[in-house]
Each structure stands twice: as structure tokens, then as C-alpha cells.
Amino acid sequence: MTTRWLRLFVAGLTLSGLGCARTVAVEVHGKGETPIPPHVTYAVFPAIEVEKDPAFSAYARLVAKKMNEQGYKETEARTARLAVYLAYGVSELSPGTMSRGSSTLGTPGAMGAAGGGTYGTSVAASDPSTVRQFTSQVVIAIGDLPKSREAGSLVEFWRGNATATGLTKDLSTLMPLLVEAAFRHFGQTTGGTVRHTFGEEEIKKLRETH
């Protein structure tokens, strides 16, 4: 699925032929505004671009699993303490520097989303090639839900970003790795990109357990 691109911050995740890859090198960027309150309730919300995507519920479960592992408890949106926003998209690379537009993370109201902030990113593509390459991006933003409703925009605690560039545009195969990479820096400010390398067995395990 192709969406307009997200504007939170830049990070990269480079793929070595996913599907038959023996390793995947991952670079993640995280930014913490204020400490995330521990052991409170949360609800997962879609960014506006993906709120009608049939795959969102499956991807939201991946995020919820990682939140539960951090000691949080999923609950109804009307009573949750944290808003966990999930945004994602896939774009085909072209030569030169590309601007991938904007994406809006809505602010949940009493019954759903209303209003939000706009973000964007641009990436310098590699030399022209006849090989088609795709960039997949996942952004996870965590905010104070009650305060966000009062403010009319997301009051953020933390946001994490991971992107993957390779030959595949199948986001479903990438999502477990992207979410895992982002949550390895849950609540942290990385101060730049951080590289992780997933081996073949770890890739297989992450896909099977998600």
C-alpha cells in the first residue's frame, strides 16, 4: 500500500534482499520529549492516512504487543492515559532528492480523532538504476491522551521512526522488524541514528512470533 509520507523525523533501515536475506541492517531514530509515565493504560490510534487501511488492525496488534511487554495495559480509547499513534507508508524511490509529502497524526476526541499536526521527510536517493527500490516507513508517536484532547493536538512523550529501503514493497513482511527496531529505543532520545543487525534466525523468529 502506498500512502503520503510521514513527517516526524528521519531515520533509515537498510535491507539486504529481504525474503532471502541472511542479515538486515537497521538504523533507528528516537526522540523523547518528556519521560513516559510507567505502567499506565493506552490505546492505539491510526494516523489519518491509514485509518481506513484494512491492515491497520494487524499492525496495531504488533505495537500493542510491544507496549504490553513494556508493562502497559491496553484499554478503551475513552479511558486510556496514553495515545499511541501508528503511521506507515511505502514509496518507490527515484533518482535525486524526494519530498514525500505530509501526514497528519490526529488528536483523539471523545469518540475518535480530530485535528492534528503535519510532518514530513525527504531522502536523497542513490544513483539512478534500472532496479526498482522501495522505502517503507513506520512512525510510532506516544502522547498524553487527556492533555491532547484538551490541547487539540498531540502532546508527545516520545516518537520513534524506522525506515527500510530495498527491493520489496510488501510492508507486511517488514513491519515486525520495523516495530521491533523502534521499540528497542522506547522512550529514548538516540541523538542520531542507531544501527542494529538482525540475523536470519532472528528475522524468522520475529516474523513467526508476530
Side-chain angles (χ1 to χ4, degrees), residues 15-112:
L15 233 43
S16 301
L18 192 71
C20 58
R22 292 190 175 277
T23 62
V24 176
V26 181
E27 293 178 352
V28 180
H29 188 177
K31 183 179 180 181
E33 300 294 340
T34 56
I36 304 172
H39 311 301
V40 295
T41 57
Y42 72 92
V44 182
F45 297 90
I48 289 176
E49 286 82 357
V50 302
E51 61 186 357
K52 296 182 179 179
D53 178 23
F56 172 75
S57 59
Y59 297 156
R61 286 195 295 271
L62 296 180
V63 174
K65 182 176 184 293
K66 301 306 293 185
M67 288 293 294
N68 294 343
E69 290 175 0
Q70 299 289 333
Y72 294 90
K73 183 179 180 181
E74 189 172 18
T75 189
E76 297 179 354
R78 63 183 180 84
T79 60
R81 174 70 171 81
L82 301 179
V84 181
Y85 268 99
L86 174 62
Y88 50 84
V90 179
S91 178
E92 184 171 359
L93 291 179
S94 60
T97 300
M98 304 171 301
S99 176
R100 297 200 178 95
S102 62
S103 175
T104 303
L105 298 180
T107 300
M111 297 300 292

Coordinates of all heavy atoms in Angstrom, one line a residue, residues 15-112:
L15 N 17.9 -2.7 3.9 CA 17.5 -4.1 3.7 C 18.5 -4.8 2.7 O 18.7 -4.2 1.7 CB 16.1 -4.2 3.1 CG 15.1 -5.1 3.8 CD1 15.1 -4.9 5.3 CD2 13.8 -4.7 3.2
S16 N 19.0 -6.0 3.0 CA 19.8 -6.7 2.0 C 18.9 -7.8 1.5 O 19.0 -9.0 2.0 CB 21.0 -7.3 2.7 OG 21.8 -6.3 3.3
G17 N 18.1 -7.5 0.5 CA 17.3 -8.5 -0.2 C 16.4 -9.3 0.8 O 16.5 -10.5 0.9
L18 N 15.4 -8.6 1.4 CA 14.6 -9.3 2.4 C 13.8 -10.4 1.7 O 13.4 -10.4 0.6 CB 13.5 -8.3 2.9 CG 12.7 -8.8 4.1 CD1 13.6 -8.8 5.3 CD2 11.6 -7.8 4.4
G19 N 13.6 -11.5 2.5 CA 12.9 -12.7 1.9 C 14.0 -13.7 1.8 O 13.8 -14.9 2.3
C20 N 15.1 -13.4 1.2 CA 16.2 -14.4 1.2 C 17.4 -13.8 1.9 O 18.5 -14.4 1.8 CB 16.6 -14.7 -0.3 SG 17.1 -13.3 -1.3
A21 N 17.2 -12.7 2.6 CA 18.3 -12.1 3.3 C 18.8 -12.9 4.5 O 18.1 -13.6 5.2 CB 17.9 -10.7 3.8
R22 N 20.2 -12.9 4.7 CA 20.8 -13.5 5.9 C 20.9 -12.5 7.0 O 20.9 -12.9 8.2 CB 22.1 -14.1 5.5 CG 22.0 -15.3 4.5 CD 23.3 -16.1 4.4 NE 23.1 -17.2 3.5 CZ 22.6 -18.4 4.0 NH1 22.3 -18.5 5.2 NH2 22.5 -19.4 3.2
T23 N 21.0 -11.2 6.7 CA 21.1 -10.2 7.7 C 20.3 -9.0 7.2 O 20.2 -8.7 6.0 CB 22.5 -9.8 8.0 OG1 23.1 -9.2 6.9 CG2 23.4 -10.9 8.5
V24 N 19.8 -8.2 8.2 CA 19.2 -6.9 7.9 C 19.8 -5.9 8.8 O 19.8 -6.0 10.0 CB 17.7 -7.0 8.1 CG1 17.0 -5.6 7.9 CG2 17.0 -8.0 7.2
A25 N 20.4 -4.8 8.2 CA 21.0 -3.8 9.0 C 19.9 -2.7 9.3 O 19.3 -2.2 8.3 CB 22.2 -3.2 8.3
V26 N 19.7 -2.3 10.5 CA 18.7 -1.4 10.9 C 19.2 -0.2 11.6 O 20.1 -0.3 12.5 CB 17.7 -2.1 11.9 CG1 16.6 -1.2 12.3 CG2 17.2 -3.4 11.3
E27 N 18.7 1.0 11.1 CA 19.1 2.2 11.8 C 17.8 2.9 12.2 O 16.8 3.0 11.4 CB 19.8 3.1 10.8 CG 21.2 2.6 10.4 CD 21.9 3.5 9.5 OE1 21.3 4.4 8.9 OE2 23.1 3.2 9.2
V28 N 17.7 3.3 13.5 CA 16.5 3.8 14.1 C 16.8 5.2 14.7 O 17.9 5.4 15.2 CB 15.9 2.8 15.1 CG1 14.7 3.4 15.8 CG2 15.7 1.5 14.5
H29 N 15.8 6.0 14.7 CA 16.0 7.3 15.4 C 14.8 7.5 16.4 O 13.7 7.3 16.0 CB 15.9 8.4 14.3 CG 16.3 9.8 14.9 ND1 16.4 10.9 14.1 CD2 16.5 10.2 16.1 CE1 16.7 12.0 14.8 NE2 16.8 11.6 16.1
G30 N 15.1 7.8 17.6 CA 14.1 8.1 18.6 C 14.3 9.4 19.3 O 15.4 9.9 19.4
K31 N 13.1 10.0 19.7 CA 13.2 11.3 20.3 C 12.2 11.4 21.5 O 11.0 11.2 21.3 CB 12.9 12.5 19.3 CG 13.0 13.9 20.0 CD 12.7 14.9 18.9 CE 12.9 16.3 19.6 NZ 12.6 17.4 18.6
G32 N 12.7 11.6 22.7 CA 11.8 11.7 23.8 C 11.7 13.1 24.3 O 12.6 13.8 24.5
E33 N 10.4 13.6 24.4 CA 10.1 14.9 24.8 C 10.2 15.0 26.4 O 10.9 15.8 27.0 CB 8.8 15.4 24.3 CG 8.6 15.4 22.8 CD 9.5 16.4 22.1 OE1 10.0 17.3 22.8 OE2 9.8 16.3 20.9
T34 N 9.4 14.1 27.0 CA 9.4 14.0 28.5 C 9.3 12.5 28.8 O 8.8 11.7 28.0 CB 8.2 14.8 29.1 OG1 7.0 14.4 28.5 CG2 8.4 16.3 28.9
P35 N 9.6 12.1 30.0 CA 9.5 10.7 30.3 C 8.1 10.2 30.2 O 7.1 10.8 30.6 CB 10.0 10.6 31.8 CG 10.9 11.8 32.0 CD 10.2 12.9 31.1
I36 N 7.9 8.9 29.7 CA 6.6 8.3 29.5 C 6.2 7.8 30.9 O 7.0 7.0 31.5 CB 6.7 7.2 28.5 CG1 7.2 7.7 27.1 CG2 5.3 6.6 28.3 CD1 7.4 6.6 26.1
P37 N 5.0 8.1 31.4 CA 4.6 7.5 32.7 C 4.6 6.0 32.6 O 4.0 5.4 31.6 CB 3.2 8.1 32.8 CG 3.1 9.3 32.0 CD 4.0 9.0 30.8
P38 N 5.1 5.3 33.6 CA 5.2 3.9 33.5 C 3.9 3.2 34.0 O 3.1 3.8 34.7 CB 6.3 3.5 34.5 CG 6.2 4.6 35.5 CD 5.8 5.9 34.8
H39 N 3.6 2.0 33.4 CA 2.6 1.1 33.9 C 1.2 1.7 33.9 O 0.4 1.6 34.8 CB 2.9 0.5 35.3 CG 4.3 0.0 35.4 ND1 4.7 -1.1 34.6 CD2 5.3 0.3 36.1 CE1 6.0 -1.3 34.9 NE2 6.4 -0.5 35.8
V40 N 0.9 2.5 32.8 CA -0.5 3.1 32.7 C -1.2 2.5 31.5 O -0.6 1.6 30.8 CB -0.4 4.6 32.6 CG1 0.2 5.2 33.8 CG2 0.4 5.0 31.4
T41 N -2.4 2.9 31.3 CA -3.2 2.3 30.2 C -2.9 3.1 28.9 O -2.4 4.2 28.9 CB -4.7 2.4 30.5 OG1 -5.0 3.8 30.8 CG2 -5.0 1.5 31.7
Y42 N -3.2 2.5 27.8 CA -3.0 3.1 26.5 C -4.0 2.6 25.5 O -4.7 1.6 25.7 CB -1.6 2.8 25.9 CG -1.5 1.3 25.5 CD1 -1.7 1.0 24.2 CD2 -1.1 0.3 26.4 CE1 -1.6 -0.4 23.8 CE2 -1.0 -1.0 26.0 CZ -1.2 -1.3 24.7 OH -1.1 -2.7 24.3
A43 N -4.2 3.3 24.4 CA -5.0 2.9 23.2 C -4.2 3.2 22.0 O -3.5 4.2 21.9 CB -6.3 3.6 23.2
V44 N -4.3 2.4 20.9 CA -3.5 2.6 19.7 C -4.5 3.2 18.7 O -5.6 2.8 18.5 CB -3.0 1.2 19.1 CG1 -2.2 1.5 17.8 CG2 -2.1 0.5 20.1
F45 N -4.0 4.3 18.1 CA -4.8 5.1 17.1 C -4.1 5.1 15.7 O -2.8 5.1 15.7 CB -5.0 6.5 17.5 CG -5.8 6.7 18.8 CD1 -5.1 6.7 20.0 CD2 -7.2 6.8 18.7 CE1 -5.9 6.9 21.2 CE2 -7.9 7.0 19.9 CZ -7.2 7.0 21.1
P46 N -4.8 5.1 14.6 CA -4.2 5.3 13.3 C -3.9 6.7 13.0 O -4.7 7.6 13.3 CB -5.2 4.7 12.4 CG -6.5 5.0 13.0 CD -6.3 4.9 14.5
A47 N -2.8 7.0 12.2 CA -2.7 8.3 11.6 C -3.8 8.4 10.6 O -4.4 7.4 10.1 CB -1.3 8.5 10.9
I48 N -4.2 9.7 10.2 CA -5.3 9.9 9.3 C -5.2 9.1 8.0 O -6.2 8.5 7.5 CB -5.5 11.4 9.1 CG1 -6.0 12.1 10.4 CG2 -6.5 11.7 7.9 CD1 -6.1 13.6 10.3
E49 N -4.0 9.1 7.4 CA -3.8 8.4 6.2 C -4.1 6.9 6.2 O -4.4 6.3 5.2 CB -2.4 8.6 5.6 CG -2.1 9.9 5.1 CD -1.7 10.9 6.2 OE1 -1.8 10.5 7.4 OE2 -1.4 12.1 5.9
V50 N -3.9 6.3 7.4 CA -4.1 4.8 7.4 C -5.3 4.4 8.2 O -5.5 3.2 8.4 CB -2.8 4.2 8.0 CG1 -1.6 4.5 7.2 CG2 -2.6 4.6 9.5
E51 N -6.2 5.3 8.6 CA -7.3 4.9 9.4 C -8.3 4.0 8.7 O -9.1 3.3 9.4 CB -8.0 6.2 10.0 CG -8.6 7.1 8.9 CD -9.2 8.3 9.6 OE1 -9.1 8.5 10.8 OE2 -9.6 9.2 8.8
K52 N -8.3 4.0 7.4 CA -9.2 3.1 6.6 C -8.5 1.9 6.0 O -9.1 1.2 5.3 CB -9.9 3.9 5.5 CG -10.8 5.0 6.1 CD -11.5 5.8 4.9 CE -12.5 6.8 5.5 NZ -13.2 7.6 4.4
D53 N -7.2 1.8 6.3 CA -6.4 0.7 5.8 C -6.8 -0.6 6.5 O -6.7 -0.7 7.7 CB -4.9 0.9 6.0 CG -4.1 -0.2 5.5 OD1 -4.5 -1.0 4.7 OD2 -2.9 -0.3 6.0
P54 N -7.2 -1.7 5.8 CA -7.6 -2.9 6.4 C -6.5 -3.6 7.2 O -6.8 -4.4 8.1 CB -8.0 -3.8 5.2 CG -8.4 -2.8 4.1 CD -7.4 -1.7 4.3
A55 N -5.3 -3.3 6.8 CA -4.2 -3.9 7.5 C -3.8 -3.2 8.9 O -3.0 -3.8 9.7 CB -2.9 -3.9 6.7
F56 N -4.5 -2.1 9.2 CA -4.1 -1.4 10.4 C -4.3 -2.2 11.6 O -3.4 -2.2 12.5 CB -4.9 -0.1 10.5 CG -4.7 0.6 11.8 CD1 -3.6 1.3 12.1 CD2 -5.7 0.5 12.8 CE1 -3.3 1.9 13.3 CE2 -5.5 1.1 14.1 CZ -4.3 1.8 14.3
S57 N -5.4 -2.9 11.7 CA -5.6 -3.7 13.0 C -4.5 -4.7 13.2 O -4.1 -4.9 14.4 CB -7.0 -4.4 12.9 OG -7.0 -5.3 11.8
A58 N -4.0 -5.3 12.2 CA -2.9 -6.3 12.4 C -1.6 -5.6 12.8 O -0.9 -6.1 13.7 CB -2.7 -7.1 11.1
Y59 N -1.4 -4.4 12.2 CA -0.2 -3.7 12.6 C -0.3 -3.1 14.0 O 0.7 -3.1 14.7 CB 0.1 -2.6 11.6 CG 0.4 -3.1 10.2 CD1 0.1 -2.2 9.1 CD2 0.9 -4.3 9.9 CE1 0.4 -2.7 7.8 CE2 1.1 -4.8 8.6 CZ 0.9 -3.9 7.6 OH 1.1 -4.4 6.3
A60 N -1.5 -2.7 14.3 CA -1.7 -2.2 15.7 C -1.5 -3.2 16.7 O -1.0 -2.9 17.8 CB -3.2 -1.6 15.8
R61 N -1.8 -4.5 16.4 CA -1.5 -5.6 17.4 C 0.0 -5.8 17.6 O 0.4 -6.1 18.7 CB -2.2 -6.9 16.9 CG -3.7 -6.9 17.0 CD -4.2 -8.3 16.8 NE -4.0 -8.9 15.5 CZ -4.8 -8.7 14.5 NH1 -6.0 -8.0 14.6 NH2 -4.6 -9.2 13.3
L62 N 0.8 -5.5 16.6 CA 2.2 -5.6 16.8 C 2.7 -4.6 17.8 O 3.5 -4.8 18.7 CB 2.9 -5.4 15.4 CG 2.7 -6.4 14.3 CD1 3.5 -6.0 13.1 CD2 3.1 -7.8 14.8
V63 N 2.2 -3.4 17.6 CA 2.5 -2.3 18.5 C 2.0 -2.5 19.9 O 2.7 -2.3 20.9 CB 2.0 -0.9 18.0 CG1 2.2 0.2 19.0 CG2 2.6 -0.6 16.7
A64 N 0.8 -3.0 20.0 CA 0.2 -3.3 21.3 C 1.0 -4.4 22.1 O 1.2 -4.3 23.3 CB -1.3 -3.8 21.2
K65 N 1.5 -5.4 21.3 CA 2.3 -6.4 21.9 C 3.6 -5.9 22.6 O 3.9 -6.2 23.7 CB 2.7 -7.5 20.9 CG 3.5 -8.7 21.4 CD 3.7 -9.7 20.3 CE 4.4 -10.9 20.9 NZ 5.8 -10.6 21.3
K66 N 4.2 -4.9 21.9 CA 5.4 -4.3 22.4 C 5.1 -3.4 23.6 O 5.9 -3.3 24.5 CB 6.1 -3.5 21.3 CG 6.5 -4.3 20.1 CD 7.4 -5.6 20.4 CE 8.7 -5.2 21.0 NZ 9.6 -6.4 21.3
M67 N 4.0 -2.7 23.5 CA 3.6 -1.9 24.7 C 3.3 -2.8 25.9 O 3.7 -2.4 27.0 CB 2.3 -1.1 24.3 CG 2.5 0.1 23.4 SD 3.6 1.4 24.0 CE 2.5 2.0 25.3
N68 N 2.6 -3.9 25.7 CA 2.4 -4.8 26.8 C 3.7 -5.3 27.4 O 3.8 -5.5 28.7 CB 1.5 -6.0 26.4 CG 0.1 -5.5 25.9 OD1 -0.3 -4.4 26.3 ND2 -0.6 -6.4 25.2
E69 N 4.7 -5.6 26.6 CA 6.0 -6.0 27.1 C 6.7 -5.0 27.9 O 7.5 -5.3 28.8 CB 6.9 -6.4 25.9 CG 6.4 -7.7 25.2 CD 7.2 -8.0 23.9 OE1 8.2 -7.2 23.6 OE2 6.9 -9.0 23.3
Q70 N 6.3 -3.7 27.7 CA 6.9 -2.6 28.5 C 6.2 -2.4 29.8 O 6.5 -1.5 30.5 CB 6.9 -1.3 27.6 CG 7.7 -1.4 26.4 CD 9.2 -1.4 26.6 OE1 9.6 -0.9 27.6 NE2 9.9 -1.9 25.7
G71 N 5.1 -3.2 30.0 CA 4.4 -3.0 31.3 C 3.1 -2.2 31.2 O 2.6 -1.8 32.2
Y72 N 2.7 -1.9 30.0 CA 1.5 -1.1 29.8 C 0.3 -2.0 29.6 O 0.4 -3.1 29.2 CB 1.7 -0.1 28.7 CG 2.7 1.0 29.0 CD1 4.0 0.7 28.7 CD2 2.4 2.2 29.7 CE1 5.0 1.7 29.0 CE2 3.4 3.1 30.0 CZ 4.7 2.8 29.7 OH 5.7 3.7 30.0
K73 N -0.9 -1.4 29.7 CA -2.2 -2.2 29.6 C -3.1 -1.5 28.6 O -3.4 -0.3 28.7 CB -2.9 -2.3 30.9 CG -4.1 -3.2 30.8 CD -4.8 -3.3 32.2 CE -6.1 -4.2 32.1 NZ -6.7 -4.3 33.5
E74 N -3.5 -2.2 27.6 CA -4.4 -1.7 26.5 C -5.8 -1.6 27.1 O -6.3 -2.5 27.8 CB -4.4 -2.6 25.3 CG -5.1 -2.0 24.1 CD -4.9 -2.7 22.8 OE1 -4.5 -3.9 22.9 OE2 -5.2 -2.2 21.8
T75 N -6.5 -0.5 26.8 CA -7.8 -0.3 27.2 C -8.6 0.5 26.2 O -8.1 0.8 25.1 CB -7.8 0.4 28.6 OG1 -9.2 0.4 29.1 CG2 -7.4 1.9 28.5
E76 N -9.8 0.9 26.5 CA -10.7 1.7 25.6 C -10.1 3.1 25.5 O -9.5 3.6 26.4 CB -12.1 1.8 26.2 CG -12.8 0.4 26.3 CD -14.2 0.5 26.8 OE1 -14.6 1.7 27.2 OE2 -14.9 -0.5 26.8
A77 N -10.3 3.6 24.3 CA -9.8 5.0 24.0 C -10.3 6.0 25.0 O -9.6 7.0 25.3 CB -10.2 5.4 22.6
R78 N -11.6 5.9 25.4 CA -12.2 6.9 26.3 C -11.5 7.0 27.7 O -11.7 8.0 28.3 CB -13.7 6.7 26.4 CG -14.1 5.4 27.0 CD -15.6 5.3 27.0 NE -16.0 4.0 27.6 CZ -16.2 3.9 28.9 NH1 -16.0 4.9 29.7 NH2 -16.6 2.7 29.4
T79 N -10.9 5.9 28.1 CA -10.3 5.9 29.4 C -8.8 5.8 29.4 O -8.2 5.8 30.5 CB -10.9 4.7 30.3 OG1 -10.6 3.5 29.6 CG2 -12.4 4.9 30.4
A80 N -8.2 5.6 28.3 CA -6.7 5.4 28.2 C -5.9 6.7 28.7 O -6.3 7.8 28.5 CB -6.3 5.0 26.8
R81 N -4.8 6.4 29.3 CA -3.9 7.5 29.7 C -2.9 7.9 28.6 O -2.6 9.1 28.4 CB -3.0 7.0 30.9 CG -2.0 8.0 31.4 CD -2.5 9.2 32.0 NE -1.5 10.0 32.7 CZ -0.7 10.8 32.0 NH1 -0.8 11.0 30.7 NH2 0.3 11.5 32.7
L82 N -2.5 7.0 27.7 CA -1.6 7.3 26.6 C -2.3 7.0 25.3 O -3.1 6.1 25.1 CB -0.4 6.4 26.7 CG 0.5 6.4 27.9 CD1 1.6 5.4 27.8 CD2 1.0 7.8 28.2
A83 N -2.0 7.9 24.3 CA -2.4 7.7 22.9 C -1.1 7.2 22.2 O -0.1 7.9 22.3 CB -2.9 9.0 22.3
V84 N -1.2 6.1 21.6 CA -0.1 5.5 20.8 C -0.5 5.6 19.3 O -1.4 4.8 18.9 CB 0.2 4.1 21.2 CG1 1.3 3.5 20.4 CG2 0.4 4.0 22.7
Y85 N 0.1 6.5 18.6 CA -0.3 6.7 17.2 C 0.7 5.9 16.3 O 1.9 5.8 16.5 CB -0.2 8.2 16.8 CG -1.5 8.9 16.9 CD1 -1.8 9.6 18.1 CD2 -2.5 8.7 16.0 CE1 -3.0 10.3 18.2 CE2 -3.7 9.3 16.1 CZ -4.0 10.1 17.2 OH -5.2 10.7 17.4
L86 N 0.1 5.2 15.3 CA 0.8 4.4 14.3 C 0.6 5.0 12.9 O -0.5 5.2 12.5 CB 0.4 3.0 14.4 CG 1.0 2.0 13.4 CD1 2.5 2.0 13.5 CD2 0.4 0.6 13.5
A87 N 1.7 5.3 12.2 CA 1.6 5.8 10.9 C 2.6 5.0 10.0 O 3.7 4.6 10.6 CB 1.9 7.3 10.8
Y88 N 2.3 4.7 8.8 CA 3.2 3.9 7.9 C 2.9 4.2 6.5 O 1.9 4.7 6.1 CB 3.1 2.4 8.2 CG 1.7 1.9 8.3 CD1 1.0 1.5 7.1 CD2 1.0 1.8 9.5 CE1 -0.3 1.1 7.1 CE2 -0.3 1.4 9.5 CZ -0.9 1.0 8.3 OH -2.3 0.6 8.3
G89 N 3.9 3.8 5.6 CA 3.7 4.0 4.2 C 4.8 3.4 3.4 O 5.9 3.1 3.9
V90 N 4.6 3.3 2.1 CA 5.6 2.7 1.1 C 5.7 3.6 -0.1 O 4.6 4.0 -0.6 CB 5.3 1.3 0.7 CG1 6.3 0.8 -0.3 CG2 5.1 0.4 1.9
S91 N 6.9 3.9 -0.5 CA 7.1 4.8 -1.7 C 8.2 4.2 -2.5 O 9.2 3.7 -2.0 CB 7.4 6.2 -1.2 OG 7.6 7.1 -2.4
E92 N 8.0 4.3 -3.9 CA 9.1 3.9 -4.8 C 10.1 5.0 -4.9 O 9.8 6.2 -5.1 CB 8.5 3.5 -6.1 CG 9.6 3.0 -7.1 CD 9.0 2.4 -8.4 OE1 7.8 2.5 -8.5 OE2 9.8 1.9 -9.2
L93 N 11.4 4.6 -4.8 CA 12.5 5.6 -4.9 C 12.7 6.0 -6.3 O 12.4 5.3 -7.3 CB 13.8 4.9 -4.4 CG 13.9 4.7 -2.9 CD1 15.3 4.0 -2.6 CD2 13.8 5.9 -2.1
S94 N 13.1 7.2 -6.5 CA 13.5 7.8 -7.8 C 14.8 8.5 -7.6 O 15.1 9.0 -6.5 CB 12.4 8.7 -8.4 OG 12.2 9.8 -7.5
P95 N 15.6 8.8 -8.7 CA 16.8 9.5 -8.6 C 16.7 10.9 -8.0 O 15.6 11.5 -8.3 CB 17.4 9.5 -10.0 CG 16.7 8.4 -10.7 CD 15.3 8.3 -10.1
G96 N 17.6 11.3 -7.3 CA 17.6 12.7 -6.7 C 17.0 12.7 -5.3 O 16.7 11.7 -4.7
T97 N 16.7 13.9 -4.8 CA 16.1 14.1 -3.5 C 14.6 14.2 -3.7 O 14.1 15.0 -4.4 CB 16.7 15.3 -2.8 OG1 18.1 15.2 -2.7 CG2 16.1 15.5 -1.5
M98 N 13.9 13.4 -2.9 CA 12.5 13.4 -3.0 C 11.9 14.0 -1.7 O 12.3 13.7 -0.6 CB 12.0 12.0 -3.2 CG 12.6 11.2 -4.3 SD 12.1 9.5 -4.3 CE 12.7 9.0 -2.7
S99 N 10.8 14.7 -1.8 CA 9.9 15.1 -0.7 C 8.7 14.2 -0.7 O 8.0 14.1 -1.7 CB 9.5 16.5 -0.8 OG 8.7 16.9 0.2
R100 N 8.5 13.6 0.4 CA 7.4 12.6 0.4 C 6.1 13.1 1.0 O 5.3 12.4 1.6 CB 7.8 11.4 1.2 CG 9.0 10.6 0.6 CD 9.1 9.2 1.1 NE 10.2 8.5 0.5 CZ 11.4 8.4 1.0 NH1 11.7 9.0 2.1 NH2 12.4 7.8 0.3
G101 N 5.9 14.4 0.8 CA 4.6 15.0 1.2 C 4.4 15.1 2.7 O 5.4 15.3 3.5
S102 N 3.2 15.0 3.2 CA 2.9 15.2 4.6 C 1.9 14.2 5.1 O 1.2 13.5 4.4 CB 2.4 16.6 4.9 OG 1.2 16.8 4.2
S103 N 1.9 14.0 6.4 CA 1.0 13.1 7.0 C 0.5 13.7 8.3 O 1.2 14.5 9.0 CB 1.7 11.8 7.4 OG 0.8 10.9 8.1
T104 N -0.8 13.5 8.7 CA -1.4 14.1 9.8 C -1.7 13.0 10.9 O -2.3 12.0 10.6 CB -2.7 14.8 9.5 OG1 -2.4 15.8 8.5 CG2 -3.3 15.5 10.7
L105 N -1.2 13.3 12.1 CA -1.5 12.4 13.2 C -2.6 13.1 13.9 O -2.5 14.2 14.5 CB -0.3 12.3 14.2 CG 0.9 11.6 13.6 CD1 2.0 11.5 14.7 CD2 0.6 10.2 13.1
G106 N -3.8 12.5 13.9 CA -5.0 13.1 14.5 C -4.9 13.2 16.0 O -4.1 12.4 16.6
T107 N -5.7 14.0 16.6 CA -5.8 14.1 18.1 C -7.1 13.5 18.5 O -8.1 13.9 18.0 CB -5.7 15.5 18.6 OG1 -4.5 16.1 18.2 CG2 -5.8 15.5 20.1
P108 N -7.1 12.4 19.3 CA -8.3 11.7 19.6 C -9.3 12.6 20.4 O -8.9 13.2 21.4 CB -7.9 10.5 20.4 CG -6.5 10.8 20.9 CD -5.9 11.7 19.9
G109 N -10.5 12.6 20.0 CA -11.5 13.4 20.7 C -12.3 12.4 21.6 O -11.8 11.3 21.9
A110 N -13.5 12.7 22.0 CA -14.2 11.8 22.9 C -14.5 10.5 22.3 O -14.5 9.5 23.0 CB -15.5 12.5 23.3
M111 N -14.7 10.5 21.0 CA -15.1 9.2 20.3 C -14.1 8.8 19.2 O -14.3 7.8 18.5 CB -16.5 9.3 19.7 CG -17.6 9.5 20.8 SD -17.6 8.2 22.0 CE -18.2 6.9 20.9
G112 N -13.0 9.6 18.9 CA -12.1 9.3 17.9 C -11.1 10.3 17.6 O -10.6 10.9 18.6

